[in-house]
Amino acid sequence: MVTGAAGFIGSVVTERLIEAGHQVVAFDSLKYGHRAAVHPEAIWVQGDLRDDHAVRTALEQNQVEAVMHLAAEAYIDLAATDPGMFFDVNTSGGHILLAAMRDLRINKIVNSSTAACYGEPKKLPIQEDDPKHPVNAYGESKLQFEQQVKWHHLSHGLKHISLRYFNACGASKTRGEARDRETHIIPILLDVAIGKRPQFHLFGADYDTPDGTCIRDYVHVVDIADAHILALSKLDEIGERAYNLGCNEGFSNREVVQAVREVTGHEIPVVIGNRRPGDPARLVASNERAKSELGWKPSFTNLAEMIETTWVWRSAHPNGYA
Ligand SMILES: NC(=O)c1ccc[n+]([C@@H]2O[C@H](COP(=O)([O-])OP(=O)(O)OC[C@H]3O[C@@H](n4cnc5c(N)ncnc54)[C@H](O)[C@@H]3O)[C@@H](O)[C@H]2O)c1
């Protein structure tokens, strides 16, 4: 079962699982996701993670063997004003899922975690065992879920892999990023390119980086989906572990803007504004552990190529899944 299967990453995970021959139960509340994003061969269940009955029924009736958990509250910008929403879904909803899995003796989970668990890193690239001091309720709630899973592993042998990543980007041939309220840099830039926004607002150009703008890690959504599938295949062997899905080197916001200009041919007017509170200058994760232990090798490393896949999808779906 894939939770969050109607969301950006969950829909591509579902697609790749089905292409790899798995049967998939797609579980999502549709708070943010889109029914049309769910692969037609998946067994569709509309349900809320916090609804114990709905979760148990979906797992039991479909004889689920493993869970890929992507359902989450992930709008980080809301974390300062409504922290409880993140703990309600990501931590308590996660508890409901784990309790149901324990009772039904489903002992495999691949968890979509986040590099927000680390907070502001003391050194780069971030490694999995580095200190974790989240700086927002999103990161804290996702870290709390990882901690719950660890105790389920110790108490009754739940097999668990958490994949921590920063900026998922790109699109598969049929599924892409389509949010009603967008906060991610690449889709916002493409909104400018297709005329939905007049300009791009850059948060700060006075950081201690070569071009003054923040540097972030970008990983293609298909590579993320494939890491989930690799993790599933290695769960029996590995037992319990966390992996960063990073690119070792990041791209600055100005580099992202420039790459979007090259891909779209649009000038993309930029307005430089103030820094956002809590935005570290650089966030880049090491992927050495995922490479050596999972055998994960991202197929996309070139930023323009990643953006190109989003551009192709957005050009074909200017109104998303509407
Ligand atoms: N997008 C990124 O760059 C990124 C980076 C790191 C980690 N992640 C993690 O990846 C996962 C997927 O992120 P995404 O970008 O696809 O987000 P998304 O919002 O597109 O997908 C999340 C899905 O979860 C569903 N959902 C939310 N609350 C639910 C609930 N209570 N019950 C059932 N379903 C619920 C939403 O409807 C949505 O379809 C999340 O766990 C997120 O924390 C994302």
Side-chain angles (χ1 to χ4, degrees), residues 3-10 27-34 47-50 69-75 89 112-115 138 142 165-168 177 179 184:
T3 73
F8 168 44
I9 305 170
F27 185 93
D28 199 297
S29 65
L30 292 185
K31 179 171 180 187
Y32 302 116
H34 307 272
D48 196 300
L49 200 57
R50 296 162 298 175
H69 181 41
L70 293 101
E73 286 290 344
Y75 275 108
V89 173
S112 171
S113 189
T114 168
Y138 167 66
K142 298 284 282 188
Y165 40 96
F166 275 112
N167 296 308
E177 210 163 1
R179 296 187 177 83
H184 296 79

Side-chain angles (χ1 to χ4, degrees), residues 145-218:
F145 182 75
E146 280 199 29
Q147 287 162 344
Q148 290 184 59
V149 179
K150 179 188 79 181
W151 291 105
H152 281 255
H153 170 72
L154 292 172
S155 92
H156 54 274
L158 177 68
K159 292 172 184 157
H160 155 240
I161 288 179
S162 275
L163 301 172
R164 301 184 188 131
Y165 40 96
F166 275 112
N167 296 308
C169 67
S172 74
K173 290 203 169 56
T174 44
R175 289 172 180 85
E177 210 163 1
R179 296 187 177 83
D180 294 338
R181 196 175 67 84
E182 192 48 80
T183 57
H184 296 79
I185 181 169
I186 293 171
I188 288 177
L189 285 164
L190 294 182
D191 276 351
V192 179
I194 60 174
K196 286 198 167 178
R197 294 174 195 248
Q199 61 207 14
F200 175 68
H201 190 95
L202 181 58
F203 294 115
D206 57 351
Y207 285 90
D208 183 16
T209 57
D211 68 15
T213 65
C214 292
I215 294 178
R216 294 289 181 270
D217 219 309
Y218 293 86

